[in-house]
Amino acid sequence: MPLRSAKEAAPAAPLLPPEIAEAMAAGRLDDPFRWRGMHETDQGLRVVAFDPGAWEARVTDAKGRAVATLDRVHEAGIFAGLLPRKRKRFDYRLAFHADGRDWSVHDPYAFGPLLGDLDLHLLAEGRHRELWRRLGAHVVTHEGVEGTAFAVWAPNARRVSVVGGFNFWDGRRHPMRRRHEAGVWEIFLPGVGPGELYRYEIIGAQGNPMSKADPVAFRQEHPPATASIVHTSGEARPATEWETRRTAAQSPAAPISIYEVHLGSWRRAEDGSVLDYDALAERLVDYAREMAFTHLEFLPVSEHPFTGSWGYQPVGLFAPTARFGDPEGFRRLVGACHDAGLGVIVDWVPAHFPSDDYGLARFDGTRLYEHEDPRLGFHKDWNTLIYNFGRREVANFLSANAVFWLEEYGIDALRVDAVASMLYLDYSRDPGEWVPNIHGGRENLEAIDLIRETNRLIGERCPDRLTIAEESTAWPGVSRPVDEGGLGFDFKWNMGWMHDTLEYMQKDPAWRQWHHHQMTFGIHYAFSENFVLPLSHDEVVHGKGSLIGKMPGDRWQKFANLRAYFGFMWTHPGKKLLFMGGEFGQEREWDHDSGLDWHLLGLPDHRGLQRLVRDLNIIYRDTPALHERDCDPSGFAWIEGGDAEQSVFSFERRDASGGSAVVVANMTPVVRNGYAIGMPHAGGWREALNTDAEIYGGGNIGNGGRVEAVATPMHGRPASASLTLPPLATIVLLPDGT
């Protein structure tokens, strides 16, 4: 029996009202699933299809056999037809023809929704702790068909479509289903797989069209291109030895020495191009392991439009930057670190985001992610937007993102950037430029709640991971648990110690006696938080010069000063952090557009400094007295902290088992013979480290490798020793047998 055409079977009333066809053709249809696809009616099954490139359209069964021909009801490529003998929906395909070409597709509007009621409920309440598993683009098999499920939060949008090469970037073709409960839009596109570029075309609240990257995209194009990319992760790696001991290796009692790295400028390839993730996994990881660091810290790896922001203005919070390869390359880099016994810290930026049109700014035509009031939603220093921390969906987006990096990529710690800017409503604002909180204060109560909730969530889901605050004020309890009234971080950068000691070291040694307190003051608060001592990237940019360039004197004195300073830092209470290049005396200020000056290692003084940093990492790691009580006041005591006239500092570090290390730093270029100090006990002490040793580029002045402490009390201790203090140097003494 011949097929009856849709026109012959059509009822008097049109299958598709003209105003609906016009809205569909114009891309203004706000409920596409009501009209497009196959629907049961009293007259039979109604089928509506849209393909602007087609001249003809048919419905076929799953085996490609013709079922009905559809009428072209609008010149834009809209087809409609009635199947009067069919009453129940069935597995069908749409077959199109134009200009001698034929193609057949699964109809996206034949598929049901993917997001369940529980997911929508949690998303609406801002309590979906794994929102990245539901939002974004996910390659799935849905109702027996392979394709990609897309979902995005845009509650005030009038229409949202997925666009990409698979639909000629035409927002009319695949408008999404709105799930009103949560302001989430979703669609399943059969046949779309990994590697496809896509964006969301959004008709905003005011009717304005926008093209946006996916806020939860797992992969983005290489900047300056801005499309998102459908990505599916490979299989998870088996747990490494590092991961099984991660809790102990990251505790306040563990030796933590961090090498901070900007991936794009640590080292360049021979042709000047950046190293990709796999090259970094080989070269950077080997170097950090050889240098005996315990952790690598990466400046932000989330995708960002402006390379000069170093990643601190991210747009793709769930996507490792494409500058160095794909997400699986980044996953291999993290795995290589773990295989080498190195922890991985990633800088995380929840404080602000850039205003690029394709990003989060006015995402659905309203200030969705940013705060409506510019006094709360705009950073004038950075020309960036501030998240609306009080909006539960935004807070959930940020806290889930923190967990995402820890769980999906196995990151061991997050260093949270610009915490001070989050805590204070008047941060870098003049009077009249900020809004007090409900109590009339300057504290940002909503940001504080976000920080605490994120740290609580990480502690619950990832108890062996760390969070570290870059917080530059005296906010109390930054590294105290939330249930004790703290912010819940594990560690805090000690910015005060860094500023004071760097200021001291930049002074001519002749003047240091009048600034002695700058080296000792840090002990007054050293145990108020769990501190990291940071010599970070911020100290070698914006005209500040390099670390070696900050040191006073001639070339010999510059290197001697920096060696002595490193010796003081590595033996001072607190975990250690050093930005790349500092370990070998990079002479130029850091430039993110070029690699470090590795050729300097051809010079003895640079090689010596590098070897010193390696040996400091080793002695710090292998000597419990130097790390076990970094965060405990019982682990430190001055022997003589007040010898300002001679600019000498001597102190004792102690471990939990009664072991000791004695440290003496001479911050003048004068050799001090017969310098007597109290000692924890009589007997032999070996000079375990001397920053003036010849192998480090020094003059090799010291104590011949060993001193004898006698039972003559001094400085409140039962014994004492007479030392030779090398100029501009730090020495470490350990008891014989340790």
Side-chain angles (χ1 to χ4, degrees):
M1 179 178 179
L3 289 170
R4 297 180 63 188
S5 73
K7 184 175 182 179
E8 293 172 339
L15 286 174
L16 193 65
E19 65 273 15
I20 298 299
E22 287 295 333
M24 189 181 300
R28 293 184 286 102
L29 192 62
D30 61 358
D31 190 7
F33 279 84
R34 178 182 175 188
W35 296 102
R36 290 180 61 175
M38 180 180 284
H39 294 269
E40 297 174 2
T41 73
D42 292 341
Q43 292 79 35
L45 295 178
R46 183 192 70 206
V47 179
V48 176
F50 181 31
D51 190 321
W55 297 350
E56 300 173 2
R58 291 180 299 139
V59 177
T60 72
D61 63 18
K63 296 183 177 180
R65 294 175 296 201
V67 176
T69 299
L70 303 180
D71 283 343
R72 186 181 175 98
V73 298
H74 194 285
E75 61 183 6
I78 301 173
F79 302 86
L82 188 69
L83 283 61
R85 298 189 179 187
K86 299 283 187 179
R87 296 291 173 175
K88 293 193 177 295
R89 284 178 287 187
F90 59 92
D91 186 7
Y92 71 97
R93 307 289 184 271
L94 295 173
F96 296 103
H97 172 81
D99 198 20
R101 295 183 304 112
D102 294 282
W103 65 97
S104 177
V105 298
H106 283 279
D107 186 356
Y109 298 90
F111 293 87
L114 291 96
L115 293 173
D117 290 341
L118 178 59
D119 285 319
L120 292 169
H121 180 70
L122 292 174
L123 288 167
E125 292 192 346
R127 295 191 299 111
H128 204 303
R129 304 314 187 195
E130 299 180 343
L131 65 76
W132 73 88
R133 300 189 191 278
R134 296 296 177 264
L135 301 183
H138 296 269
V139 178
V140 297
T141 299
H142 182 45
E143 297 178 9
V145 177
E146 293 182 358
T148 297
F150 297 89
V152 62
W153 179 58
N156 303 302
R158 295 185 181 182
R159 187 263 286 168
V160 181
S161 296
V162 181
V163 295
F166 45 82
N167 62 14
F168 306 97
W169 301 94
D170 185 346
R172 301 173 301 166
R173 291 175 179 257
H174 292 135
M176 303 171 78
R177 172 191 282 117
R178 181 186 175 101
R179 307 300 299 276
H180 292 272
E181 306 92 321
V184 173
W185 302 71
E186 68 163 4
I187 195 170
F188 172 71
L189 296 185
V192 173
E196 292 277 9
L197 302 182
Y198 73 99
R199 290 193 189 93
Y200 294 117
E201 184 179 284
I202 298 175
I203 303 299
Q206 311 305 321
N208 52 309
M210 299 172 289
S211 180
K212 295 288 190 178
D214 188 346
V216 191
F218 304 122
R219 185 180 176 190
Q220 295 281 125
E221 277 192 293
H222 191 301
T226 60
S228 303
I229 303 175
V230 177
H231 180 74
T232 182
S233 298
E235 294 184 4
R237 299 172 77 252
T240 63
E241 188 272 338
W242 156 258
E243 291 165 310
T244 62
R245 63 181 180 87
R246 182 160 43 200
T247 298
Q250 300 198 136
S251 75
I256 296 178
S257 180
I258 303 163
Y259 188 48
E260 187 191 33
V261 173
H262 176 257
L263 293 177
S265 59
W266 174 72
R267 189 187 288 270
R268 291 293 179 100
E270 287 67 21
D271 62 359
S273 62
V274 298
L275 301 180
D276 65 16
Y277 290 125
D278 288 312
L280 290 162
E282 180 179 344
R283 301 177 72 176
L284 172 59
V285 171
D286 284 351
Y287 179 75
R289 176 174 54 188
E290 290 169 4
M291 288 295 293
F293 286 98
T294 66
H295 288 70
L296 275 167
E297 177 172 334
F298 303 144
L299 271 60
V301 297
S302 297
E303 194 56 85
H304 50 283
F306 178 43
T307 299
S309 77
W310 316 327
Y312 289 103
Q313 294 186 11
V315 166
L317 266 69
F318 291 81
T321 178
R323 288 168 174 83
F324 316 115
D326 64 18
E328 297 315 298
F330 179 68
R331 194 183 303 276
R332 289 190 294 273
L333 172 57
V334 175
C337 290
H338 289 167
D339 289 341
L342 293 165
V344 179
I345 304 170
V346 167
D347 282 12
W348 183 59
V349 189
H352 61 141
F353 60 94
S355 57
D356 296 69
D357 289 342
Y358 75 94
L360 299 180
R362 298 191 68 87
F363 187 76
D364 62 358
T366 69
R367 292 185 173 91
L368 184 65
Y369 285 89
E370 65 270 39
H371 207 287
E372 185 73 29
D373 189 332
R375 295 173 298 173
L376 297 169
F378 182 73
H379 264 307
K380 63 178 184 177
D381 287 358
W382 304 318
N383 196 34
T384 53
L385 302 174
I386 302 171
Y387 289 101
N388 184 350
F389 301 117
R391 183 161 193 165
R392 60 180 184 265
E393 299 97 332
V394 174
N396 186 42
F397 172 79
L398 292 170
S399 59
N401 179 249
V403 174
F404 165 83
W405 288 101
L406 303 177
E407 292 191 351
E408 294 297 318
Y409 284 100
I411 301 301
D412 303 290
L414 299 176
R415 177 268 196 186
V416 184
D417 181 63
V419 171
S421 76
M422 300 174 67
L423 294 176
Y424 298 99
L425 294 165
D426 62 346
Y427 180 87
S428 194
R429 295 179 186 273
D430 296 325
E433 294 182 343
W434 60 283
V435 181
N437 63 33
I438 58 173
H439 306 298
R442 59 196 285 254
E443 299 81 8
N444 190 333
L445 303 179
E446 295 169 341
I448 293 166
D449 286 345
L450 167 68
I451 290 168
R452 286 174 168 162
E453 173 59 17
T454 301
N455 282 326
R456 186 202 63 77
L457 182 63
I458 290 172
E460 176 185 292
R461 294 183 63 115
C462 311
D464 58 348
R465 317 300 169 88
L466 303 178
T467 58
I468 304 167
E470 186 219 9
E471 202 285 309
S472 56
T473 74
W475 187 281
V478 171
S479 60
R480 295 293 173 264
V482 172
D483 58 10
E484 295 179 13
L487 293 181
F489 289 98
D490 296 282
F491 290 96
K492 171 183 171 175
W493 276 19
N494 194 336
M495 311 292 280
W497 178 91
M498 178 271 296
H499 285 299
D500 285 348
T501 58
L502 266 182
E503 276 192 16
Y504 175 91
M505 293 304 302
Q506 291 177 77
K507 290 178 170 60
D508 188 295
W511 298 99
R512 285 176 177 169
Q513 61 180 309
W514 289 286
H515 301 275
H516 198 74
H517 67 283
Q518 289 187 294
M519 296 291 272
T520 61
F521 181 68
I523 290 298
H524 291 288
Y525 60 87
F527 308 104
S528 61
E529 302 276 3
N530 296 337
F531 278 124
V532 174
L533 309 181
L535 292 179
S536 76
H537 65 279
D538 282 328
E539 311 320 312
V540 293
V541 289
H542 303 319
K544 297 177 185 177
S546 62
L547 288 182
I548 194 69
K550 296 179 194 296
M551 300 297 110
D554 59 20
R555 186 173 181 85
W556 178 87
Q557 288 197 12
K558 284 180 178 294
F559 277 88
N561 270 300
L562 189 53
R563 291 194 304 266
Y565 183 39
F566 283 166
F568 182 85
M569 172 180 171
W570 256 259
T571 55
H572 190 283
K575 309 309 178 186
K576 325 302 175 189
L577 180 142
L578 182 63
F579 184 58
M580 64 183 198
E583 79 278 11
F584 64 81
Q586 167 84 4
E587 295 181 350
R588 286 186 303 118
E589 183 173 279
W590 172 49
D591 174 12
H592 68 269
D593 283 327
S594 63
L596 298 177
D597 293 333
W598 294 98
H599 64 273
L600 293 175
L601 289 172
L603 301 174
D605 42 13
H606 291 279
R607 285 200 309 274
L609 181 62
Q610 182 193 49
R611 180 166 182 173
L612 171 66
V613 172
R614 183 195 67 180
D615 288 353
L616 283 169
N617 279 331
I618 291 171
I619 194 172
Y620 172 65
R621 179 194 68 196
D622 294 347
T623 308
L626 292 178
H627 67 253
E628 198 171 77
R629 292 183 171 179
D630 267 336
C631 304
D632 184 339
S634 67
F636 176 90
W638 288 114
I639 295 174
E640 173 55 88
D643 190 0
E645 183 177 353
Q646 300 186 84
S647 297
V648 175
F649 308 85
S650 56
F651 53 87
E652 181 185 354
R653 297 297 309 278
R654 300 164 177 160
D655 63 30
S657 303
S660 294
V662 170
V663 180
V664 188
N666 175 17
M667 294 303 183
T668 66
V670 178
V671 178
R672 303 202 180 277
N673 295 302
Y675 189 88
I677 63 168
M679 298 290 285
H681 57 77
W685 291 72
R686 64 186 178 91
E687 195 173 54
L689 186 134
N690 179 344
T691 66
D692 190 54
E694 185 177 7
I695 58 172
Y696 306 138
N700 223 31
I701 297 170
N703 299 277
R706 190 173 183 279
V707 301
E708 189 72 25
V710 298
T712 301
M714 190 177 186
H715 293 137
R717 285 163 175 77
S720 58
S722 179
L723 307 175
T724 296
L725 302 186
L728 295 175
T730 298
I731 64 172
V732 179
L733 304 174
L734 298 178
D736 281 348
T738 59

